[in-house]
Amino acid sequence: MTAKRIDGKAAGLALREQVAVAAAEFQARTGRAPGLATVLVGEDPASSVYVRSKGKATAEAGMESFAHHLPADTSEEALLDLVVLLNNDDRVDGILVQLPLPPHMDSSRVIAAIDPAKDVDGFHPVNAGRLATGLDALVPCTPLGCLHLLKNELGSLSGKDAVVIGRSNIVGKPMAMLLIGESATVTVAHSRTRDLPDVVRRADIVVAAVGRPEMIRGDWIKPGAVVIDVGINRVAAADEGKTRLVGDVAFGEAAEVASAITPVPGGVGPMTIAMLLRNTLVAAHRRAGLADPEGL
Ligand SMILES: NC(=O)C1=CN([C@@H]2O[C@H](COP(=O)(O)OP(=O)(O)OC[C@H]3O[C@@H](n4cnc5c(N)ncnc54)[C@H](OP(=O)(O)O)[C@@H]3O)[C@@H](O)[C@H]2O)C=CC1
Ligand SMILES: Nc1nc(=O)c2c([nH]1)NC[C@@H]1CN(c3ccc(C(=O)N[C@@H](CCC(=O)O)C(=O)O)cc3)C=[N+]21
């Protein structure tokens, strides 16, 4: 391996410590801690793990956590009622409705019901539009975490060739918007892209958000490129009956060619949680009429 392993766990912890300091200052000024409400519908095991770790990280940052768990057969109307209740609760600065929702629910309707000022996932069309037009927005946590790691690594991204693989509203599209904002030259690839390996070979920066285990091979990577692997894929481990997490990039191969690369786990995932706390802190400041916390 020649590439530097980008330590997202350490970067996430450092960010969480900064958020904790600023959250304590917010509490001293306003008399209350920033608050994050999470809503989990159903029993998906992976979702339950994520929501629990978000609750723990929230408390560790000195923020208030309001965890709501609804049964899988909850009606969409009942979920929308809860969202309205959280919109109107002054202790709640951030609302996160864990995705995916059960199939009988329309997630875009639910997202649209969240007060954009409390939309710490940055999924509401108002926030997506604000990001796309260069206004102050709440920006999706995962792309924001990727950008933080890229800037740590490269400083300026101006003029770099960036390829984002994936065009979801949650990762690929907002990632592309952020990279455009940093003056990178951005290509967005997806399942209809012709000759993906060749497209990726042009990139100084590769962000992979596909959801296909180890799809991106080492010989697709331009020597010296920085590779950010968003993929979280659970696959069978060598040990019978056990599973392990892998990214969308064949890590071992790519690490022979890249200058720096994020591992899975320990790369983008921990940054997502840190950015969720950061967004909650920012939302709290804006809702309280305070200037954005500095350096976050
Ligand atoms: N680390 C973290 O914090 C997070 C990790 N993730 C992970 O990131 C990955 C992507 O998530 P998400 O964006 O929500 O996924 P989606 O399934 O919504 O989007 C996947 C994208 O990949 C594209 N794609 C699928 N197959 C190919 C292919 N063969 N070649 C090129 N492009 C392809 C799809 O193209 P098309 O649009 O044409 O269908 C689509 O745009 C998942 O592994 C997910 O678990 C997600 C969120 C947070
Ligand atoms: N409304 C909503 N917002 C989200 O941000 C959201 C969501 N729904 N649904 C699911 C995806 C996925 N996601 C992850 C967060 C952290 C890790 C993470 O911390 N991963 C650890 C490993 C965790 C493990 O071991 O399972 C790591 O990569 O090191 C992963 C994935 C947020 N998502």
Side-chain angles (χ1 to χ4, degrees), residues 28-235:
R29 286 170 78 178
T30 65
R32 69 175 187 90
L36 173 66
T38 58
V39 181
L40 173 63
V41 185
E43 305 292 340
D44 178 65
S47 292
S48 306
V49 171
Y50 293 145
V51 169
R52 217 174 311 123
S53 69
K54 283 165 187 168
K56 187 164 163 274
T58 307
E60 280 172 15
M63 299 187 184
E64 237 191 309
S65 167
F66 307 93
H68 295 264
H69 191 175
L70 306 176
D73 62 359
T74 301
S75 70
E76 187 177 300
E77 292 310 315
L79 175 58
L80 291 170
D81 287 348
L82 173 59
V83 169
V84 171
L85 209 70
L86 298 172
N87 284 344
N88 293 327
D89 186 339
D90 255 338
R91 301 166 305 166
V92 172
D93 297 292
I95 302 171
L96 178 142
V97 178
Q98 183 72 16
L99 301 178
L101 288 169
H104 67 278
M105 289 190 185
D106 177 355
S107 51
S108 60
R109 251 190 101 194
V110 174
I111 289 165
I114 297 171
D115 178 351
K118 298 189 176 188
D119 168 37
V120 285
D121 266 326
F123 295 165
H124 192 288
V126 163
N127 280 314
R130 294 180 72 88
L131 173 61
T133 49
L135 299 172
D136 275 342
L138 287 168
V139 177
C141 304
T142 299
L144 203 54
C146 295
L147 187 71
H148 183 95
L149 295 177
L150 282 168
K151 282 184 159 181
N152 270 353
E153 213 45 52
L154 292 167
S156 169
L157 311 185
S158 180
K160 301 276 185 197
D161 282 319
V163 171
V164 179
I165 315 163
R167 57 172 162 181
S168 71
N169 291 332
I170 291 174
V171 189
K173 268 187 225 163
M175 186 74 244
M177 291 301 158
L178 288 172
L179 290 166
I180 292 168
E182 298 295 326
S183 299
T185 304
V186 182
T187 302
V188 181
H190 45 74
S191 67
R192 306 293 177 88
T193 296
R194 270 185 279 165
D195 203 354
L196 183 62
D198 234 41
V199 172
V200 174
R201 273 182 202 114
R202 297 202 291 262
D204 305 308
I205 295 168
V206 179
V207 181
V210 183
R212 292 181 176 252
E214 300 176 323
M215 184 187 85
I216 290 130
R217 313 306 310 188
D219 66 354
W220 303 13
I221 304 296
K222 174 170 153 179
V226 176
V227 178
I228 305 291
D229 190 350
V230 180
I232 303 267
N233 307 290
R234 198 161 278 286
V235 299

